[in-house]
């Protein structure tokens, strides 16, 4: 990959970063979970994502031949951006409404009563959670971009680094648990996020609205002119 391609590749992981994994991991710890439970959850996720990556690569190669007329059409990609922009705006409206209904949680000690957890259900939960990554268009784009690297070892390294960055909140909780600092991490995060939950939801909603307007606007310009949409520029990066 060129420097521009690497920047877009890892920038995609940052922009689409999945915070849900970190939230679930902290929830497991709050319910009395241990490192074994976290490893079961992460293991289930990793197995499915790895398998999907191995399958998705040849599928994308096949689809690239079938979809080449669409991928080379500014109008088609512009229409996709228009639809994605509308979806982001709709999601931002949902977040604004959720922020308006948000109520502060009780003290940490009222929410952290340990309960018995089993390893197998958490393994299956990790498998189910992997579905959120597979449904993320950014995951398919990342696999497609990495597949342009001819050297297998570099392709694997790129995808591993991308997934570590994409799941950075989950990785952070796992590393904290590995060194025995997970209780401090969870407590600190709840102390910071808890009182500011409504503000953070509002900020997230505003960012989603801005992103939606930008993507929708770019798609609309592409449909009305000869502008090359951002999504196609990203796909063409090497």
């Amino acid at each position: 990959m060129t420097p521009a391609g690497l920047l877009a590749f890892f920038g995609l992981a940052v922009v689409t970063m999945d915070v849900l994994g970190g939230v679930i991991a902290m929830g497991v710890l709050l319910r009395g979970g241990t490192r074994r439970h976290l490893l079961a959850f992460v293991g289930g996720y990793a197995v499915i994502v790895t398998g999907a990556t191995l399958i998705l690569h040849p599928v994308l190669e096949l689809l690239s031949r079938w979809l080449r007329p669409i991928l080379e059409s500014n109008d088609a990609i512009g229409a996709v951006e228009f639809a994605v922009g509308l979806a982001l705006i709709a999601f931002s409206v949902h977040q604004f409404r959720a922020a308006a209904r948000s109520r502060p949680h009780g003290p940490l000690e009222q929410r952290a009563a340990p309960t018995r957890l089993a390893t197998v259900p958490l393994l299956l939960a990790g498998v189910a959670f992997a579905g959120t990554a597979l449904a993320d268009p950014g995951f398919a784009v990342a696999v497609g971009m990495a597949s342009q690297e001819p050297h297998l070892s570099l392709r694997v390294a790129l995808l591993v680094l991308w997934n570590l960055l994409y799941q950075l909140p989950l990785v952070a909780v796992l590393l904290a648990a590995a060194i025995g600092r997970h209780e401090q991490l969870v407590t600190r995060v709840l102390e910071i996020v808890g009182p500011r939950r409504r503000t953070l939801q509002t900020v997230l909603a505003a960012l989603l609205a801005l992103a939606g307007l930008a993507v929708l606007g770019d798609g609309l310009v592409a449909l009305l002119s000869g502008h090359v949409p951002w999504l196609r520029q990203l796909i063409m990066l090497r």
Side-chain angles (χ1 to χ4, degrees):
M1 282 190 185
T2 64
L6 286 173
L7 182 62
F9 181 73
F10 289 114
L12 181 66
V14 173
V15 172
T16 61
M17 184 178 294
D18 190 353
V19 300
L20 181 59
V23 171
I24 294 175
M26 286 195 292
V28 170
L29 294 175
L30 284 172
R31 294 183 59 197
T34 64
R35 297 184 187 92
R36 184 182 78 250
H37 296 117
L38 285 180
L39 288 174
F41 177 73
V42 173
Y45 172 85
V47 168
I48 298 301
V49 168
T50 301
T53 301
L54 294 175
I55 296 172
L56 190 57
H57 180 205
V59 169
L60 286 175
E61 288 185 340
L62 179 63
L63 288 178
S64 66
R65 294 194 293 270
W66 291 352
L67 300 179
R68 188 172 301 278
I70 296 177
L71 296 177
E72 293 179 351
S73 169
N74 288 345
D75 289 343
I77 299 297
V80 170
E81 283 193 347
F82 189 84
V84 170
L86 288 177
L88 286 172
I89 292 172
F91 190 47
S92 73
V93 172
H94 170 74
Q95 287 297 314
F96 274 121
R97 296 179 64 183
R101 296 192 303 266
S102 178
R103 295 181 179 179
H105 291 295
L108 173 62
E109 58 270 16
Q110 295 179 8
R111 293 179 281 129
T115 57
R116 182 175 178 82
L117 295 174
T119 302
V120 174
L122 281 172
L123 178 67
L124 296 177
V127 170
F129 173 62
T132 63
L134 304 185
D136 188 344
F139 174 76
V141 173
V143 174
M145 293 180 71
S147 67
Q148 299 169 26
E149 171 57 50
H151 301 288
L152 178 61
S153 58
L154 289 178
R155 188 188 311 157
V156 171
L158 285 171
L159 286 171
V160 169
L161 290 174
W162 191 91
N163 278 284
L164 288 176
L165 191 56
Y166 175 68
Q167 289 292 350
L168 187 58
L170 176 58
V171 172
V173 176
L174 187 62
L175 290 177
I179 61 176
R181 301 296 297 272
H182 49 283
E183 291 184 3
Q184 295 91 324
L185 174 65
V186 171
T187 301
R188 185 59 178 163
V189 169
L190 290 176
E191 287 176 350
I192 294 173
V193 174
R196 303 172 178 84
R197 183 181 178 186
R198 178 175 296 181
T199 300
L200 292 173
Q201 281 186 308
T202 302
V203 171
L204 174 61
L207 291 175
L208 287 170
L210 290 174
L213 289 172
V215 174
L216 186 148
D218 187 68
L220 187 60
V221 171
L223 289 171
L224 299 178
S225 68
H227 168 68
V228 179
W230 295 335
L231 179 57
R232 188 177 173 209
Q233 294 179 38
L234 179 63
I235 293 172
M236 291 189 302
L237 280 175
R238 299 291 187 268

